[in-house]
Amino acid sequence: DVKVTQSSRYLVKRTGEKVFLECVQDMDHENMFWYRQDPGLGLRLIYFSYDVKMKEKGDIPEGYSVSREKKERFSLILESASTNQTSMYLCASSFRGLAKKDEQFFGPGTRLTVL
Amino acid sequence: DQQVKQNSPSLSVQEGRISILNCDYTNSMFDYFLWYKKYPAEGPTFLISISSIKDKNEDGRFTVFLNKSAKHLSLHIVPSQPGDSAVYFCAASSNAGNMLTFGGGTRLMVKP
C-alpha cells in the first residue's frame, strides 16, 4: 500500500512566521506535489517536483518555496506566513512512468491556520 | 480561468438511486481524466479514470462517461450508498506531463 504522510494534521501559526510542511512517501515515486484546497476552488497546484533537487512552479507558487533533497521527502515552506495562506495543504506523489502515470496518491492533509 | 469546472457544488440523492456528477473542461489538450473521492479529514483517493480514446469506463458501481465533442464527463454511481457521501473531484491531464488540473469539487450526500 502506498503511504504518503504529512508531518502535522493541524498547525496554527502567526503572521510573519516561517512555516515548514513536510511530506514523506514510501513508494519510491519520482513525482511529488503540493496543493492547497479551498472551498469552491478545488485543489490548486503550488509546486511540483519530478526528481531530487528539481522543482516546477504550479498555478499559485507566490509566497511559497519547496525543497526536495531526498527522493522520498518534499517540503513546502512559507517564508512569511500570511492570513490568506490559511488553508488545507495536501501532498501527493506518483510514478513518472506511462502506466497509470497520472494517478496521484495523497497524504491526509495539514490544516494550517495563520492568525 | 478554471480549465476544469464542476458546476454543482452539492448534490443530494436517496440511497439506492443513481448519483450523476458532472464535469466540464475547456482545454482540448486534456487526454486523460480522473475522479477522486475525499472524505473529511482525509486526503483524496483515486476512484476511476478514462482515457480520451474511450467514451466509457466502468468499475463496479462506478461508471465514467466522456463526451469529447462537448468537453464533458460524468460519473454515475449506481446504486448510491450512504458511504458514498463525500466530496468528488474531477481532474484532467495532458500528455505534456504528469500534472493534474482539478475541478472545484461536488459534495455528494446520500440519504438513507
Side-chain angles (χ1 to χ4, degrees), chain B residues 28-75:
Chain B
S28 56
M29 297 300 291
F30 288 146
D31 61 358
Y32 196 75
F33 304 88
L34 306 89
W35 284 93
Y36 281 81
K37 175 179 177 178
K38 185 181 185 300
Y39 292 119
E42 293 182 16
T45 54
F46 170 76
L47 192 57
I48 192 168
S49 63
I50 188 166
S51 164
S52 60
I53 61 172
K54 295 186 174 182
D55 53 20
K56 177 183 173 181
N57 188 27
E58 195 170 349
D59 183 2
R61 296 186 297 115
F62 302 91
T63 303
V64 56
F65 295 92
L66 175 63
N67 182 333
K68 284 193 296 280
S69 59
K71 292 192 177 70
H72 176 84
L73 64 154
S74 60
L75 174 69

Side-chain angles (χ1 to χ4, degrees), chain A residues 66-81:
Chain A
V66 290
S67 172
R68 187 137 180 232
E69 296 297 318
K70 293 185 178 181
K71 190 175 185 180
E72 67 271 17
R73 189 179 296 268
F74 192 33
S75 303
L76 180 69
I77 302 149
L78 286 66
E79 296 290 341
S80 177

Side-chain angles (χ1 to χ4, degrees), chain A residues 9-10 31 33 35 37 40-43 45 48 57 88 90 94-97 100-104 106-109, chain B residues 2 31-32 34 36 38 40-46 87 89 93-105:
Chain A
R9 295 301 298 270
Y10 299 94
N31 297 333
F33 308 83
Y35 295 91
Q37 181 197 353
L41 298 177
L43 279 68
L45 182 65
F48 157 51
K57 290 180 180 178
M88 169 70 81
L90 291 159
S94 73
F95 287 113
R96 200 161 69 219
K100 287 197 174 180
K101 67 177 177 70
D102 298 303
E103 183 180 340
Q104 295 180 12
F106 284 83
Chain B
Q2 282 192 298
D31 61 358
Y32 196 75
L34 306 89
Y36 281 81
K38 185 181 185 300
E42 293 182 16
T45 54
F46 170 76
V87 177
F89 292 100
S93 77
S94 69
N95 239 352
N98 299 136
M99 289 192 283
L100 294 177
T101 301
F102 284 84

